[in-house]
Amino acid sequence: MYVAVKGGERAIENAHAWLAEERRGDISVAELSLAQIREQLSLAVNRVMAEGSLYDPDLAALAIKQSRGDLIEAIFLIRAYRTTLPRFGASRAVDTGAMACDRRISATFKDAPGGQVLGPTFDYTHRLLDFKLAAEGAVPPAPSAPPRREPTPHITEFLGQEGLIQPEPEPESEAVPRDLTREPLEFPADRALRLQSLARGDEGFVLGMAYSTQRGYARNHAFVGELRIGRVTVEMEIPELGFAIEIGEVELTECETVNQFKGSKTEPPQFTRGYGLVFGQSERKAISMALVDRALRWQELGEDNLGAPAQDEEFVLSHCDNIQATGFLEHIKLPHYVDFQSELELVRKLRREAEERIARREAAE
Amino acid sequence: MADQEKETAARQGWMGLLARAPEAALMALWDRVEERPAYDWLRAPETGGVMVRGRTGGTGAPFNLGEMTVTRCALALADGTVGHAYVQGRSRAKAEAAALIDALMQTEAAERIRTRVLEPLAAQMAERAETRAARAAATKVEFFTLVRGED
């Protein structure tokens, strides 16, 4: 129960002033610029864009600065800003097959056309702290090689040619996918709605869910068929022009898993897929999303419900949004004086009654 | 009809280039152009969101991935030529420049705008993309088959 109370204005104002001062930190240290955050903390910026569900690196950098680096707070700021924007429309579906790839690897096919391109990865680093970074210094330019001109094909295409992997349902009708920013989340959710929810879901939560499938809670034997990171153009139909134009370019991480599948009552033995697509460079999230997507497809593939959390779409989708979660969690620290007052009264009353009962019993004995 | 298709394709080309262009690069080139024709706003610059869609499995049914910021505007030159802009980001100045360029590209100023703004802009953006692609190419794995067994 919430009751309007007055008071605390001065305390709140002063708390915010102190917050601003603490945010700035020691003034003998140079202030961070948004460009520095955008360029040098780009993976934090990427996470805020992905979970804030708004692609705008400058805004994400501002949110990170304002939130003192608390990324969930930054995501909250972006979500709040997003609601103030008029919606101009929806893009055509992006063509990830035409991606200009910075990175493209496959754990299943060594010699895939286009090859294994590592990109600017943390993989194969020794995870030893690099104290050279503590000192300022110029970075030598990275080596170059003659670039690839042709588009890089999706690796699952090759399995698809042999019919060994379940095809994605043809998009026969370009049906408008459900949008959880426009209508409340309702169950059962279809795959499109699940993917939207996972794409903006908390990285840690989705990672934990994905890990649970690897540890045996609805294990689905995933291989990373392909992981690619790069830029795609975004096109939209412009009604007043009568044709489509490119309206921008976004960096995406895409993961397709190839999963073992023995077949079921309705499906022949073949490989099946899980899919992850995330704003920015965020491969942990994309792989996690693909594993959870695959686990949630149990019904459509005629698999058994093992009662695993990752198979339960109500559980996964209702809890993966860190802004909903933190909003509900953190509200319990706000004043609940009246609520608590009534609880207090209740406990006092129950204790009084219990004491009276004991007193009566003792008197009777 | 074929002519109109060609015109539309050309216009899609420059509008897309302007939409994707980094603001600083576009404005640096645009500032060097003297042409600043008078115009009236048909729609003043306005920032909004566009829902970006992906496809399940990369090729299947569409789903909503998340939004991106876009700024749009429309204007009319004194002779009635209409310029439109839908550009990535939140910059009104970038949208205004893009709409003016779109209008001028439909007038006799087209050739000057093309050589002074669009072509150098396209070259800069292509060079940047090429640099990234070359960095990526250098990280391509070359596998060696090790000698195995004793035959």
Side-chain angles (χ1 to χ4, degrees), chain A residues 32-81:
Chain A
L32 262 180
S33 73
L34 297 191
Q36 286 171 337
I37 295 171
R38 188 190 65 221
E39 297 300 316
Q40 298 174 40
L41 296 176
S42 52
L43 300 188
V45 167
N46 285 177
R47 181 170 177 193
V48 170
M49 294 196 299
E51 295 172 32
S53 205
L54 184 67
Y55 196 95
D56 188 316
D58 294 310
L59 277 182
L62 173 61
I64 290 168
K65 182 171 178 174
Q66 187 177 334
S67 66
R68 306 175 67 193
D70 177 341
L71 296 189
I72 291 184
E73 181 71 19
I75 291 160
F76 200 162
L77 294 169
I78 292 296
R79 291 274 186 95
Y81 175 83

